[in-house]
Amino acid sequence: MESRPPAPRRRTGLTVGRVFGVPLHLNVSMLLLTLLVTVTYAEFARDRLGLSPLGGYLIGLGFVVSLLGSVLLHELGHALTARRYGIGVRGITLELLGGYTEMERDAPTPRVELLVALAGPAVSAVLGGIAVAATLATPDHTLARQLALQLALSNVIVAVFNVLPGLPLDGGRALRAVLWRITRDRHRATEAAGWVGRAVAVGTAALVVLLTVQRILAPLALPLMLLVAVTLWRGAGQSIRYARISRRVPLIDLPRLTRPVFAVPTGTPLAEAQRRHAVDGPPASAVLVVDGTGRPVALVDPAAADAVPPDRRPWLAVDAVARSLAALPTLPHDLDGERVLAAVQAHPGARFLVTAGEDVVGVLHIADLAQVLEPTRKMNR
């Protein structure tokens, strides 16, 4: 269970409705979770309560529904608290390993970050307390007691596990809020919490293996628990990368990154357009197709142009390997780094038109932007 920082919009699964106005999505991996938990719990219920096979599966399925309800309430704790402080929520997604809440932006202050982070575990702790009380109030060796006990254990484990101090867990966000308050540097705090998260992932994997070897944990649960550890490691790595990228956002200088354009008339043979570009075009410039009035209408795709056999290029119009400008995202030339990054995340693409009013002044290649944000990472140009 976690809350995620802003990211490019993407399909998060099947949208099944809204809860308190928050879109709810179900990831396809939920089918695997439903099958695994239903079968496992059905066997347990049959052994403890003497149920028929069908009765066991029905009880197992009911437990899955109750468990998902607990996860949903946990995530609603994040979502409603975030919304209380003016942070938009894109949606809640339930998946194999629990769920996550996707925010539209970061928390504005360490205090808000801390409150949003701890809201989910607080809900789980309250649910766990209620389930513990229900367990103690019901007779032993009954179906009601077993369901209450499992819900108590599930919610208490979720609450305790999520407050571990490492990203991407809720406890990691709380740690980041504290470090942010101390250092006054959100990016440094995120990176530090991410490294702690990697340590938590390694510790989780080691503990799972140890418990399995000592036969405390069922071998059937080993792959799922190791998947949890791997997911934590990857999430921590993404947090570290996000911090490093965010630190370099102020270095984005759109006018400097913008590549110039070289215009050729519509209908020009591709071979002639390439010759003119090589002789007269500015270095690293993009080829812009203009109509009879000089109005830009399309941008040549270099990969498509290079894919045309040389013997066909004199007979193929440059328009055939160009993309209409109407299909390309645009960036005003005076955007600052944060707004450039937000625009690129909102409209992912390889190239962006840079405009000044109605004029096309150049092209931004996503590889050039990535080189600024991650200079040590190898990019395909």
Side-chain angles (χ1 to χ4, degrees), residues 60-375:
L61 184 60
F63 177 62
V64 171
V65 173
S66 300
L67 186 60
L68 291 181
S70 300
V71 173
L72 176 58
L73 290 173
H74 174 106
E75 297 304 327
L76 279 173
H78 291 307
L80 297 181
T81 304
R83 205 161 66 180
R84 165 69 177 79
Y85 289 98
I87 303 173
V89 178
R90 292 178 182 171
I92 293 173
T93 299
L94 302 182
E95 57 180 3
L96 174 64
L97 300 181
Y100 62 86
T101 301
E102 193 172 9
M103 314 286 185
E104 290 186 349
R105 63 184 179 90
D106 288 318
T109 66
R111 176 176 174 272
V112 173
E113 173 88 349
L114 184 64
L115 292 174
V116 173
L118 295 182
V123 171
S124 294
V126 170
L127 292 175
I130 294 173
V132 167
T135 301
L136 297 176
T138 52
D140 199 6
H141 301 296
T142 62
L143 176 60
R145 185 180 181 89
Q146 288 302 320
L147 286 176
L149 177 60
Q150 293 302 314
L151 284 175
L153 290 175
S154 300
N155 280 285
V156 170
I157 290 173
V158 165
V160 172
F161 185 71
N162 270 275
V163 296
L164 292 177
L167 287 173
L169 296 172
D170 298 330
R173 293 198 64 187
L175 174 62
R176 175 171 64 185
V178 173
L179 295 177
W180 180 11
R181 178 68 178 84
I182 295 172
T183 65
R184 301 185 184 278
D185 186 334
R186 181 188 182 92
H187 308 310
R188 184 185 302 175
T190 300
E191 190 167 355
W195 282 108
V196 175
R198 284 188 164 179
V200 170
V202 172
T204 299
L207 180 61
V208 166
V209 172
L210 178 62
L211 293 177
T212 304
V213 170
Q214 294 183 348
R215 300 183 183 278
I216 298 175
L217 187 67
L220 183 63
L222 179 62
L224 182 61
M225 296 306 296
L226 288 179
L227 179 60
V228 170
V230 171
T231 302
L232 289 178
W233 177 272
R234 292 182 59 189
Q238 290 172 354
S239 297
I240 294 170
R241 182 185 176 208
Y242 175 75
R244 292 173 176 173
I245 288 175
S246 298
R247 185 181 290 120
R248 295 185 62 84
V249 167
L251 301 180
I252 297 174
D253 184 347
L254 185 56
R256 184 178 65 82
L257 290 175
T258 299
R259 298 189 184 189
V261 290
F262 178 75
V264 297
T266 181
T268 302
L270 176 58
E272 176 62 14
Q274 291 178 323
R275 186 194 68 79
R276 294 184 190 179
H277 183 228
V279 174
D280 301 323
S285 58
V287 178
L288 194 66
V289 179
V290 298
D291 63 16
T293 65
R295 183 176 64 89
V297 294
L299 187 68
V300 172
D301 182 345
D306 291 341
V308 177
D311 58 340
R312 288 193 57 211
R313 295 176 188 178
W315 315 106
L316 184 71
V318 70
D319 309 66
V321 292
R323 188 177 180 188
S324 170
L325 298 189
L328 293 173
T330 61
L331 300 172
H333 75 287
D334 57 354
L335 290 184
D336 61 21
E338 288 189 3
R339 289 188 292 170
V340 168
L341 188 59
V344 169
Q345 289 178 332
H347 305 283
R351 296 184 298 168
F352 298 80
L353 296 178
V354 180
T355 60
E358 296 183 355
D359 298 327
V360 176
V361 297
V363 176
L364 172 68
H365 284 237
I366 195 66
D368 296 338
L369 178 63
Q371 187 63 32
V372 172
L373 297 175
E374 297 183 276

Side-chain angles (χ1 to χ4, degrees), residues 10-33:
R10 62 189 186 281
R11 291 183 181 271
T12 52
L14 175 65
T15 301
V16 296
R18 290 177 175 267
V19 183
F20 294 106
V22 178
L24 176 62
H25 312 287
L26 290 182
N27 191 284
V28 67
S29 63
M30 286 302 307
L31 297 177
L32 177 59
L33 175 68

Side-chain angles (χ1 to χ4, degrees), residues 47-58:
D47 292 341
R48 292 296 299 268
L49 303 173
L51 299 174
S52 66
L54 178 59
Y57 288 126
L58 290 176

